[in-house]
Amino acid sequence: MADKKKRRRAAADSDSDSDTLQFKSKLKPDSNILQILKTLKSSAANTAASEKPRPLSELNLATACREVADLPLSSVQSTIESLALSLAHSILSGNGFSFSVPSRAAANQLYVPELDRIVLKDKSSIRPFANVSSVRKSTITTRIIQLIHQLCLKNIHVTKRDLFYTDVKLFQDQSHSDAILDDVSCILGCTRSSLNVVAAEKGVVVGRLIFSDNGDMIDCTKMGMGGKAIPPNIDRVGDMQSDALFILLVEKDAAYMRLAEDRFYNRFPCIIVTAKGQPDVATRLFLRKMKMELKLPVLALVDSDPYGLKILSVYGCGSKNMSYDSANLTTPDIKWLGVRPSDLDKYNIPEQCRLPMTEQDLKTGRDLLEEDFVKKNPGWVEELNLMVKSKQKAEIQALSSFGFQYLTEVYLPLKLQQQDWL
Amino acid sequence: MEVGGSSESPSETKKSKSKTPRKTKDAAQTLKQKSPAEFFADNKNIAGFDNPGKCLYTTVRELVENALDSAESIAELPIIEITIEEIGKNQYNSMIGLADHGRVDEALYDDFETVKAREKRLAKEARIQENQAKSAALGKKGKAATAVKPIKSRETSYYRVSCKDNGRGMPHDDIPNMFGRVLSGTKYGLKQTRGKYGLGAKMALIWSKMSTGLPIEILSSMKGQSYSSFCRLDIDINKNIPHIHVHEKRKNEERWHGAEIQIVIEGNWTTYRSKILHYMRQMAVITPYSQFLFKFLSGSPDKNVTVRFARRTDIMPPAPLETKYHPSAVDLLLIKRLITETSKQNLLQFLQHEFVNVGKSHAERLIGEMGTDFSPKMAVKSLTSQQIVRIHQLFRQAKFDDPSGDCLSPAGEYNLRLGIIKELHPDMVATYSGSAQVFEGHPFIVEAGLSLGGKDVKQGLNIFRFANRIPLLFEQGADVVTRTAAKRINWNNYKINQTQDKIGVFVSIVSTKIPFKGTGKEYIGDDISEIASAVKTAIQQCCSQLKSKIVKRIQAREQQERKRSLNKYIPNATTAIYDILKEMSRAHASKKRRYDGKDAELLKQVSAQLVTQETLREKLAQHVEQVDYEMAMEYATQTGVNEEPREEIYIPPLEAQCSFTEFHSPIFVFRLFN
């Protein structure tokens, strides 16, 4: 079926303009590209085998760092209970109560090049009840802890939205309860998933992947165009099998749609994942699990703007907000396939598809240049410098100016053939 | 207008001759002369006489501003009485000697209601009533019963506006020309002046002539005169000359000096009521040393308004000085005018004495630069137009020192502050006076005041704009002050909430030439970067003065509300902790989990109801109490004893006849009694 499609496509393309042809003619037969991808996969598998995850304690870092672990429900419960007892004792002895909350501010973050991810340093702040500025937060903290305790007793999962709606009057805004939830997992020293609180489904996956979701086998090639929603709690996911050669990470829903509809994964066996913008915890956990179990190389397709690179860095090195759990959330060794600032000229993307960068964009770009996780990769620094200098950005959709299927038929195959990733 | 024929070249005359036959065909195109008075009668909108309402407003402001100028010119603290009296149609008719006519043919009038229209209206009223009854039955709180709109009457209303001041008065013989001749003033030189149009009461007189035909009445007396002058006159618009009805000397026994002007015009009080009152209030802010009594009288006593703006200080800003033009501020026409008016003989003296910032040596250098056909001793009146163009060019290109602001008379921080306090009674006030700056050769000074809270102030920004010490009320949106305050000041930086707080922004700009925008001269454009940045700095300076006070006030409020805001959360926190304890004690009792030592003890107490939610609540409340007490102590030791709020009072001297010397500073005045 794929062959038939290809023939039809070739006929349709015969009248396309010279620009498209110029790049199309460079394309070698798919078998050559597949060969390249196979070597990529095997080398990725080899490095993954040789690289053992190094625990933080072995690194002898100058500052102490805080990391959380996946805890079983019973130990979460007992941690909460001993915390509650100490709070009660403190109140009964007339001292009020307070929490010691690890700080998640930017100053308390550290990029560890050996691990290639951000970790949280051990600075923490006291959150006393009897203080006007922290009374609200400490009250919300007690309330969240009590709600988590109930979840432990009943052994059920709820969403962040559910949690918010149990006491709207106190929480006022979901962003408040969400932020405190992260604080609580820091205080208790466990991952957010072990608190049995999940976020709503956001990410989707399609392609050559079979896994079990809560016991049901899912074949991601047979999930229609939209693909399979990534389950919010990773515990449900298991038994991953795949014949894919690589994982393609896509920033945008629109590009994902194009790839899924064109069944790109049938031409080049791959798994396509998107979180539709900034990735949520579930997508990051899922990507990491795929990478670890299937030992596949990960290639990223993001917009050519500072936010594209930022999203890439969140998958790769973790976000500052959840750096305490970066060990479980990050996927090492993600390659930046496109759309890179240098591609704009390389692929003759027309002027009308390029956008001028705003002041805010430029500032974000310059800030990124200062970040360690960008600096460690000279290729990225070069690309980012080019972007800031040309003051132009472009979305993945800019490629549609050569035809809607240019992305799947010319751009990506050519990129793969030239091994043009950083 | 006559064109000097001698200078015209023959070829040009030929051309114009060839054109003339065509022109003569057009019989209607005869050359007509228009008197200045006619011009202003035709274009009364440029002087602020757009519609009857605005005419009433502008008449009031012209009279008030003339009165203030007059009193200030003799350094007398102004006392001004303004009265607007509504005149009914019958009264007006009897005034002009017209018999009252009732309507005979009702259908002739515009407000006549035809049978069809009447049916329509009645049907509509019935529908509205039905709807109201329905919503009332449903218990809905609908819109308050909308009063049925009264049928609009096209009747014009007439007002007698009178203004009495204690100023200089006018010389007996000059009165007719001062009122009855437009553009008759012989203002020479340059000065910061109040009037925007320079027309004053003359324009009001033209309007009264147009709308009512009634003459203006003037009673005036100068200091030391044993008589007062009374004059009743109107204006011959075609000839631009006064038409005198009565001009006589009357007895002046109480030795009153000043002027009282009375004029009857068409107007509209209902639509411009708030504008006129705002104007009076803002005038009171910027001139706290004057006393205003504003009265509105009408047939129905419930509509009458009497507002008294009391004097708050007896310090007046010094009168603005006359100054010379700055070389970079003149144009060709102005140079020609200066040449015809000058008393100086030669070019050197002319440059030296008719302009600021041109010294003798500087003038000599300038003349040297002009070229070979100029010399210091050449007669200034003999300059050709080409030579004048050369002078003008040089003035544009050469560098001159900026004019100083000495000739300006800003309101002063002292007066601005007192004015704001007097009229708004704000919780906080700050003022700032910038140094003189220059725009296109004219010096300007920007002063700003900022108030928070107060009486009759709405939430959000309240902008008060003053140009040369008169309020600007119209076209606020495009003004530099409005734009700056609304867009370029980050109020949050100063802990001011732009939408919630009652913010009063007062900006007064004085200059020898205010760069007004638009025909109405009602606003200053936002495109002059010098003025925009000066306004921004002035407002920001006020903001930063207030910031520390605001922070202190917020702290004090937090101090008071701390206990309440802490106690508010006690039930939430204790319930959460107690719930966990209860679950634990249940597990403990059923031996599912084991606890040791004091933990077990605590859980036992929970099971036995010895420790309840109430216990936790009480203990936490006690703790809050203690913390609150400690922090209150700490706050008290830090801030010291609370200052009692002081009441600011002003006691005017009963007999202001002591002689003294005043030492002025921007923020205070020191008086040395001799």
Side-chain angles (χ1 to χ4, degrees):
Chain A
M1 187 195 127
D3 276 342
K4 232 195 263 170
K5 241 189 184 170
K6 221 182 283 170
R7 241 175 281 135
R8 241 190 294 143
R9 239 181 268 142
D13 278 349
S14 58
D15 53 17
S16 54
D17 66 347
S18 61
D19 245 7
T20 328
L21 278 176
Q22 181 203 335
F23 293 108
K24 209 174 162 90
S25 60
K26 283 189 194 166
L27 270 180
K28 290 180 190 155
D30 284 359
S31 53
N32 291 24
I33 302 175
L34 285 174
Q35 197 51 50
I36 293 168
L37 290 172
K38 269 174 199 154
T39 44
L40 172 70
K41 184 192 168 179
S42 57
S43 74
N46 284 339
T47 47
S50 64
E51 242 180 48
K52 269 183 202 153
R54 290 158 71 185
L56 207 52
S57 50
E58 271 180 28
L59 287 170
N60 293 326
L61 292 173
T63 48
C65 292
R66 184 186 303 269
E67 286 219 287
V68 296
D70 267 322
L71 291 182
L73 219 49
S74 59
S75 54
V76 172
Q77 188 185 341
S78 58
T79 323
I80 290 178
E81 287 175 353
S82 54
L83 183 63
L85 281 171
S86 71
L87 294 181
H89 284 305
S90 172
I91 293 172
L92 290 175
S93 61
N95 293 327
F97 70 92
S98 68
F99 294 99
S100 168
V101 186
S103 157
R104 286 184 289 128
N108 201 31
Q109 314 271 354
L110 181 72
Y111 173 77
V112 183
E114 292 91 333
L115 301 171
D116 187 19
R117 58 181 168 87
I118 303 171
V119 297
L120 195 65
K121 294 195 270 186
D122 69 339
K123 215 176 93 189
S124 54
S125 56
I126 303 294
R127 191 176 282 177
F129 178 82
N131 186 315
V132 178
S133 57
S134 59
V135 60
R136 198 177 128 69
K137 276 192 172 173
S138 58
T139 308
I140 296 178
T141 313
T142 46
R143 185 80 174 117
I144 298 266
I145 287 177
Q146 184 238 330
L147 291 170
I148 306 273
H149 187 243
Q150 277 185 8
L151 295 182
C152 294
L153 291 175
K154 300 196 172 116
N155 193 11
I156 49 168
H157 287 84
V158 297
T159 63
K160 283 155 102 178
R161 191 80 184 151
D162 282 329
L163 203 64
F164 165 63
Y165 266 108
T166 50
D167 201 341
V168 186
K169 210 176 150 198
L170 175 64
F171 299 150
Q172 284 175 9
D173 192 300
Q174 201 190 328
S175 66
H176 298 176
S177 61
D178 287 359
I180 299 286
L181 186 65
D182 286 332
D183 284 340
V184 167
S185 50
C186 268
I187 294 170
L188 301 178
C190 61
T191 61
R192 204 177 74 194
S193 333
S194 24
L195 296 180
N196 276 9
V197 180
V198 294
E201 293 167 348
K202 191 177 173 207
V204 274
V205 58
V206 76
R208 305 289 194 98
L209 176 72
I210 297 171
F211 67 94
S212 67
D213 178 4
N214 218 4
D216 302 336
M217 289 313 284
I218 309 283
D219 183 349
C220 291
T221 53
K222 299 191 173 67
M223 294 306 295
M225 229 177 71
K228 161 78 179 149
I230 292 172
N233 49 341
I234 198 75
D235 318 341
R236 274 165 38 187
V237 177
D239 310 318
M240 282 184 171
Q241 297 164 32
S242 171
D243 64 345
L245 296 174
F246 63 99
I247 300 168
L248 186 61
L249 196 62
V250 183
E251 175 183 343
K252 286 257 184 81
D253 204 21
Y256 170 87
M257 274 254 306
R258 172 86 353 255
L259 291 166
E261 194 181 36
D262 289 356
R263 306 237 176 214
F264 185 74
Y265 49 84
N266 282 339
R267 188 171 170 197
F268 304 104
C270 64
I271 304 166
I272 304 169
V273 184
T274 184
K276 303 170 188 170
Q278 278 288 358
D280 55 338
V281 170
T283 311
R284 284 154 68 187
L285 284 171
F286 189 80
L287 181 70
R288 181 180 166 82
K289 199 175 172 79
M290 281 198 295
K291 165 93 180 166
M292 290 301 142
E293 291 191 1
L294 305 171
K295 306 209 179 345
L296 292 175
V298 183
L299 302 176
L301 181 63
V302 294
D303 284 348
S304 170
D305 60 23
Y307 309 102
L309 193 58
K310 227 173 172 175
I311 286 170
L312 190 54
S313 81
V314 169
Y315 281 113
C317 320
S319 66
K320 287 186 174 163
N321 195 31
M322 301 203 61
S323 55
Y324 57 90
D325 193 19
S326 62
N328 295 314
L329 291 173
T330 56
T331 311
D333 201 28
I334 298 179
K335 302 289 188 204
W336 188 6
L337 183 67
V339 176
R340 297 204 306 267
S342 61
D343 290 349
L344 299 188
D345 285 334
K346 209 188 284 174
Y347 289 86
N348 292 336
I349 290 181
E351 247 349 280
Q352 70 261 26
C353 299
R354 307 183 189 189
L355 294 167
M357 286 169 79
T358 63
E359 273 309 306
Q360 187 59 41
D361 292 341
L362 287 170
K363 193 183 169 296
T364 317
R366 284 190 212 105
D367 288 350
L368 273 178
L369 276 171
E370 299 298 311
E371 297 282 2
D372 292 315
F373 57 81
V374 175
K375 278 195 206 154
K376 62 129 203 261
N377 195 330
W380 290 16
V381 175
E382 206 174 294
E383 292 283 353
L384 198 54
N385 268 326
L386 181 69
M387 187 196 302
V388 173
K389 227 159 99 191
S390 66
K391 294 185 181 175
Q392 282 183 327
K393 60 180 182 182
E395 297 186 9
I396 305 173
Q397 277 69 49
L399 295 165
S400 305
S401 59
F402 300 118
F404 288 114
Q405 292 179 312
Y406 185 78
L407 173 72
T408 50
E409 281 166 14
V410 182
Y411 180 78
L412 282 179
L414 197 62
K415 278 281 209 184
L416 294 174
Q417 177 188 318
Q418 294 172 340
Q419 309 190 24
D420 186 14
W421 51 71
L422 292 172
Chain B
M1 281 233 280
E2 216 183 30
V3 184
S6 61
S7 66
E8 262 180 290
S9 66
S11 68
E12 270 176 329
T13 29
K14 221 188 238 172
K15 241 188 200 169
S16 60
K17 259 181 196 166
S18 68
K19 269 184 188 168
T20 36
R22 245 187 294 153
K23 266 188 187 170
T24 43
K25 269 185 209 165
D26 202 345
Q29 262 201 355
T30 45
L31 199 63
K32 259 191 193 169
Q33 269 212 340
K34 217 174 213 182
S35 81
E38 268 180 311
F39 173 78
F40 282 109
D42 289 349
N43 300 291
K44 56 185 171 31
N45 59 313
I46 63 169
F49 288 76
D50 306 31
N51 53 54
K54 188 117 185 254
C55 288
L56 181 64
Y57 163 79
T58 312
T59 303
V60 168
R61 74 178 293 169
E62 292 290 3
L63 293 178
V64 168
E65 282 156 24
N66 277 350
L68 277 174
D69 279 339
S70 164
E72 280 173 30
S73 69
I74 53 166
E76 184 86 22
L77 291 170
I79 301 173
I80 293 165
E81 283 175 34
I82 280 271
T83 312
I84 300 176
E85 198 181 332
E86 195 174 31
I87 298 172
K89 195 182 161 224
N90 298 345
Q91 203 185 338
Y92 170 69
N93 281 349
S94 68
M95 275 165 75
I96 58 169
L98 183 71
D100 213 8
H101 290 284
R103 286 183 182 186
V104 182
D105 184 359
E106 285 284 349
L108 195 61
Y109 296 91
D110 189 48
D111 54 1
F112 175 72
E113 198 175 30
T114 58
V115 182
K116 235 179 181 177
R118 191 185 167 80
E119 274 169 8
K120 230 176 172 179
R121 179 172 61 88
L122 288 175
K124 195 177 173 189
E125 278 172 23
R127 213 163 46 235
I128 290 170
Q129 269 180 353
E130 200 179 318
N131 281 347
Q132 274 171 357
K134 240 187 226 169
S135 59
L138 287 168
K140 253 194 259 172
K141 225 203 216 165
K143 269 187 272 173
T146 41
V148 183
K149 241 201 292 183
I151 305 154
K152 222 200 235 163
S153 90
R154 287 275 181 99
E155 293 278 309
T156 44
S157 0
Y158 300 98
Y159 300 89
R160 177 184 290 123
V161 182
S162 59
C163 174
K164 185 178 179 185
D165 65 54
N166 60 339
R168 179 193 288 273
M170 288 160 275
H172 181 81
D173 297 329
D174 289 351
I175 293 176
N177 275 336
M178 290 178 96
F179 286 91
R181 201 189 286 268
V182 172
L183 304 183
S184 63
T186 47
K187 264 192 186 160
Y188 172 57
L190 188 63
K191 194 174 167 182
Q192 170 195 332
T193 50
R194 260 213 182 86
K196 285 194 305 181
Y197 313 109
L199 292 168
K202 294 159 212 158
M203 200 57 224
L205 178 56
I206 292 177
W207 171 242
S208 85
K209 177 99 182 162
M210 289 171 82
S211 58
T212 65
L214 287 170
I216 188 170
E217 282 179 14
I218 303 130
L219 183 69
S220 152
S221 180
M222 297 183 75
K223 235 179 187 167
Q225 268 179 5
S226 56
Y227 61 90
S228 61
S229 325
F230 177 78
C231 190
R232 182 184 296 139
L233 61 90
D234 62 27
I235 184 169
D236 185 327
I237 289 186
N238 294 333
K239 293 190 194 135
N240 190 25
I241 52 166
H243 177 242
I244 302 164
H245 299 227
V246 184
H247 192 191
E248 61 186 22
K249 290 182 182 176
R250 290 182 179 176
K251 272 186 200 159
N252 179 19
E253 266 149 15
E254 67 266 38
R255 294 263 158 181
W256 167 76
H257 64 89
E260 185 174 357
I261 296 164
Q262 221 175 69
I263 192 163
V264 181
I265 53 165
E266 185 191 334
N268 190 338
W269 169 253
T270 24
T271 50
Y272 272 71
R273 177 178 181 274
S274 72
K275 284 284 179 197
I276 292 172
L277 291 176
H278 269 129
Y279 171 78
M280 292 308 297
R281 188 184 191 207
Q282 298 200 11
M283 202 47 152
V285 167
I286 199 76
T287 55
Y289 49 85
S290 50
Q291 180 177 310
F292 297 97
L293 179 64
F294 176 85
K295 274 195 239 168
F296 174 77
L297 306 170
S298 75
S300 47
D302 55 317
K303 277 196 206 155
N304 287 0
V305 180
T306 306
V307 195
R308 181 183 208 91
F309 300 92
R311 175 173 298 147
R312 178 64 182 78
T313 169
D314 47 15
I315 305 299
M316 274 200 285
L321 301 173
E322 209 168 285
T323 181
K324 309 243 159 59
Y325 281 95
H326 190 265
S328 60
V330 292
D331 54 36
L332 270 178
L333 220 58
L334 199 55
I335 299 178
K336 282 185 184 164
R337 205 187 86 198
L338 290 174
I339 288 172
T340 48
E341 283 168 354
T342 186
S343 58
K344 304 293 175 230
Q345 293 304 313
N346 63 39
L347 183 59
L348 180 67
Q349 285 174 327
F350 172 69
L351 292 182
Q352 203 182 324
H353 291 107
E354 297 296 337
F355 298 97
V356 288
N357 294 352
V358 181
K360 195 177 175 199
S361 60
H362 195 182
E364 278 166 353
R365 279 177 63 199
L366 284 171
I367 293 168
E369 187 66 25
M370 281 171 197
T372 46
D373 45 343
F374 291 90
S375 75
K377 291 277 176 252
M378 71 191 291
V380 69
K381 311 261 183 197
S382 73
L383 286 168
T384 64
S385 10
Q386 284 87 351
Q387 283 173 319
I388 293 172
V389 171
R390 173 69 192 130
I391 295 176
H392 181 229
Q393 281 174 350
L394 190 65
F395 277 179
R396 276 291 152 93
Q397 291 156 3
K399 203 177 75 186
F400 298 93
D401 288 341
D402 283 340
S404 75
D406 297 347
C407 57
L408 299 178
S409 166
E413 278 189 65
Y414 178 84
N415 276 324
L416 190 57
R417 176 183 290 264
L418 289 180
I420 296 169
I421 293 174
K422 170 169 96 92
E423 288 306 321
L424 278 84
H425 303 282
D427 302 336
M428 280 182 208
V429 62
T431 52
Y432 174 80
S433 179
S435 53
Q437 294 186 50
V438 178
F439 172 66
E440 286 183 349
H442 290 279
F444 69 89
I445 294 178
V446 174
E447 293 171 300
L450 187 67
S451 71
L452 280 183
K455 223 172 56 172
D456 299 335
V457 188
K458 65 174 174 32
Q459 282 188 337
L461 288 174
N462 297 265
I463 312 273
F464 295 78
R465 301 173 290 144
F466 304 96
N468 279 353
R469 286 161 44 198
I470 54 169
L472 302 179
L473 265 73
F474 295 89
E475 305 202 44
Q476 175 160 295
D479 190 88
V480 60
V481 176
T482 319
R483 296 261 179 124
T484 306
K487 304 236 168 78
R488 294 185 207 115
I489 303 282
N490 190 353
W491 297 97
N492 281 337
N493 277 356
Y494 306 100
K495 313 276 176 203
I496 298 172
N497 186 329
Q498 194 179 338
T499 50
Q500 299 285 311
D501 289 339
K502 297 172 171 180
I503 313 168
V505 178
F506 306 79
V507 175
S508 154
I509 302 174
V510 294
S511 172
T512 47
K513 188 183 171 212
I514 300 270
F516 285 114
K517 266 276 171 77
T519 49
K521 288 193 168 186
E522 287 289 356
Y523 73 102
I524 301 168
D526 193 24
D527 49 354
I528 302 161
S529 58
E530 288 93 337
I531 292 186
S533 74
V535 168
K536 188 180 170 192
T537 329
I539 299 177
Q540 278 176 333
Q541 288 291 336
C542 294
C543 287
S544 43
Q545 283 177 39
L546 284 190
K547 189 182 176 182
S548 59
K549 285 190 196 170
I550 295 170
V551 169
K552 260 188 203 154
R553 197 173 62 170
I554 291 173
Q555 275 178 350
R557 197 191 300 146
E558 260 176 22
Q559 203 59 33
Q560 286 172 353
E561 290 178 2
R562 182 176 46 227
K563 206 159 107 184
R564 204 168 55 83
S565 50
L566 289 182
N567 282 336
K568 195 170 69 179
Y569 287 103
I570 289 179
N572 271 318
T574 48
T575 313
I577 295 171
Y578 183 72
D579 279 358
I580 303 177
L581 291 182
K582 215 164 64 185
E583 294 290 349
M584 287 166 70
S585 69
R586 213 171 283 156
H588 182 63
S590 61
K591 304 274 192 294
K592 273 189 200 150
R593 273 169 187 260
R594 304 222 126 265
Y595 300 92
D596 315 312
K598 62 176 187 174
D599 291 349
E601 189 65 28
L602 177 60
L603 291 179
K604 254 186 216 160
Q605 285 175 336
V606 172
S607 323
Q609 298 277 314
L610 289 171
V611 170
T612 60
Q613 199 170 324
E614 212 43 55
T615 333
L616 290 176
R617 210 173 276 184
E618 273 167 26
K619 284 282 183 188
L620 199 53
Q622 272 172 25
H623 176 68
V624 166
E625 186 90 12
Q626 190 193 335
V627 169
D628 181 56
Y629 178 72
E630 281 166 12
M631 289 187 64
M633 287 294 283
E634 202 176 311
Y635 180 78
T637 46
Q638 266 177 10
T639 53
V641 184
N642 256 354
E643 281 181 46
E644 281 296 306
R646 274 174 301 194
E647 187 78 25
E648 306 204 39
I649 55 161
Y650 166 68
I651 308 167
L654 271 178
E655 284 175 28
Q657 271 147 20
C658 321
S659 59
F660 49 77
T661 321
E662 281 182 2
F663 299 93
H664 282 260
S665 136
I667 42 169
F668 68 90
V669 174
F670 184 75
R671 260 181 195 172
L672 189 64
F673 287 89
N674 301 331

